[in-house]
Amino acid sequence: MTEITLAHLSDPHIAHDKLCLPPTAMLNKRALSHLSWRRKRRFLHVGAILDRVVADLRATAPDVVALTGDLTNLGLPAECRQAADWLRRDMPAQTIVIPGNHDMLVRDRWPNTLGLWAPWMAPAPDDFPFVRQVGPVALIGVNSARPMPCFVAAGQIGRPQADRLAAILHDIGRQGLCRVVMIHHPPVAGIVPPRKALLDAALFRDAIARAGAELVLHGHSHMSGLSSLPGPLAPVPVLGIASASMRSDRPERAAAWQQIRIATTERGFHIEIRRRIFRPDMPVLALPAMIFASYRIPSPI
């Protein structure tokens, strides 16, 4: 394969209203998140909008889907089972997932929660970052989800994971593959307020600056946008995408997904990005393509 089509979506926040919620599992931070869901967020994250986004995505038959976290709202075992069923039933077979902060709201047994997503993700907490190769593209999944105190939705990757990320990026770059890094929390300062930020973003930025990457994908902010991080020789594009279920009239906030076509060239990669936006009671808004050229140059580390 010399060209693949990658679909990027994030933060579906699949509704949990019909699930049985064990009272003992709610005696923690989950109770506050559930209250927020009942009072406000269930009116913003709409299942019918998510269905529309997924149907549009599937119609394009992407080679692979990158889903950057927050499939659940409380991270309950029942929600994780529901999300696994949704992945099997509704998403293309070649889907790659990383966890978001809502998926790891509190500490819980991995086999009963995120371990259920092993077919689409790293099988164990210590297996991040993980790599999935599709044609000339290597997707690298980073875990920034960590249990945090109440009213804090921040993330953290930790130095061991950051060091492994730099080594992986270096090795894959030497192989001549297009490196697409998936992380839930935005690694660029200022996109979200401090209580929602990546606390050790400097570690992530240092790995990118040392080893390089062709593209970084994130969610969490519930806002679509483009930014960048310094690479060894050129800036690395950083793409955020709004929640795939968000009801909003604002184009940057409305539910969306990104179609990313990556083609190999004699010198590197041609990357073409098209964002598709879903506002209530309106046709799909397809934005003009963003185009990037990336060159295969072995990076120092």
Side-chain angles (χ1 to χ4, degrees):
M1 299 171 66
T2 59
E3 177 177 327
I4 74 156
T5 301
L6 164 67
H8 174 216
L9 75 163
S10 194
D11 299 76
H13 288 286
I14 302 168
H16 62 278
D17 300 283
K18 295 181 181 180
L19 299 178
C20 179
L21 306 181
T24 54
M26 304 293 286
L27 300 176
N28 46 44
K29 185 180 178 180
R30 285 174 174 149
L32 295 174
S33 191
H34 181 58
L35 179 62
S36 173
W37 172 263
R38 296 298 303 172
R39 294 183 63 180
K40 179 181 179 182
R41 296 178 62 249
R42 66 190 175 111
F43 303 109
L44 300 176
H45 296 283
V46 181
I49 294 177
L50 176 60
D51 292 343
R52 188 181 171 204
V53 169
V54 170
D56 186 72
L57 181 155
R58 290 186 65 99
T60 69
D63 296 298
V64 61
V65 176
L67 177 47
T68 48
D70 274 1
L71 282 70
T72 72
N73 296 293
L74 311 177
L76 286 164
E79 286 183 286
C80 292
R81 288 193 297 272
Q82 176 180 254
D85 291 340
W86 177 77
L87 287 166
R88 291 189 188 94
R89 182 187 66 243
D90 292 350
M91 296 301 293
Q94 186 72 291
T95 295
I96 299 168
V97 175
I98 58 170
N101 58 294
H102 279 267
D103 304 320
M104 202 180 284
L105 209 59
V106 302
R107 297 191 184 280
D108 211 328
R109 295 188 66 243
W110 184 273
N112 295 343
T113 54
L114 296 181
L116 300 171
W117 301 350
W120 307 276
M121 194 176 72
D126 293 336
D127 292 331
F128 291 90
F130 66 96
V131 180
R132 298 286 186 274
Q133 182 179 345
V134 182
V137 175
L139 291 107
I140 302 105
V142 175
N143 182 14
S144 63
R146 297 288 186 276
M148 292 285 168
C150 291
F151 307 112
V152 177
Q156 198 166 19
I157 62 171
R159 181 168 293 279
Q161 187 179 191
D163 290 342
R164 291 194 298 270
L165 173 62
I168 288 169
L169 289 171
H170 176 72
D171 290 343
I172 293 175
R174 297 281 298 222
Q175 296 173 37
L177 298 175
C178 180
R179 300 160 296 176
V180 178
V181 183
M182 300 166 56
I183 185 169
H184 181 66
H185 291 79
V188 178
I191 293 179
V192 294
R195 74 177 188 88
K196 297 183 178 182
L198 184 62
L199 299 180
D200 53 1
L203 292 176
F204 183 91
R205 293 195 293 264
D206 180 65
I208 298 296
R210 289 162 54 201
E214 280 60 63
L215 194 61
V216 175
L217 306 177
H218 74 82
H220 188 55
S221 64
H222 293 184
M223 183 168 63
S224 299
L226 171 67
S227 51
S228 67
L229 289 175
L233 297 173
V236 175
V238 178
L239 286 171
I241 194 68
S243 162
S245 60
M246 178 63 74
R247 179 182 180 89
S248 177
D249 294 318
R250 296 168 55 189
E252 73 277 13
R253 289 284 185 184
W257 70 279
Q258 300 184 120
Q259 183 187 63
I260 305 170
R261 290 180 176 167
I262 302 173
T264 58
T265 67
E266 289 185 0
R267 299 182 61 190
F269 303 98
H270 175 88
I271 303 174
E272 189 173 285
I273 301 159
R274 287 182 167 86
R275 186 176 300 146
R276 295 178 63 79
I277 300 170
F278 298 77
R279 294 166 295 175
D281 306 317
M282 297 184 72
V284 177
L285 174 61
L287 298 187
M290 297 181 283
I291 297 174
F292 301 95
S294 179
Y295 302 104
R296 288 193 207 91
I297 301 175
S299 57
I301 191 168

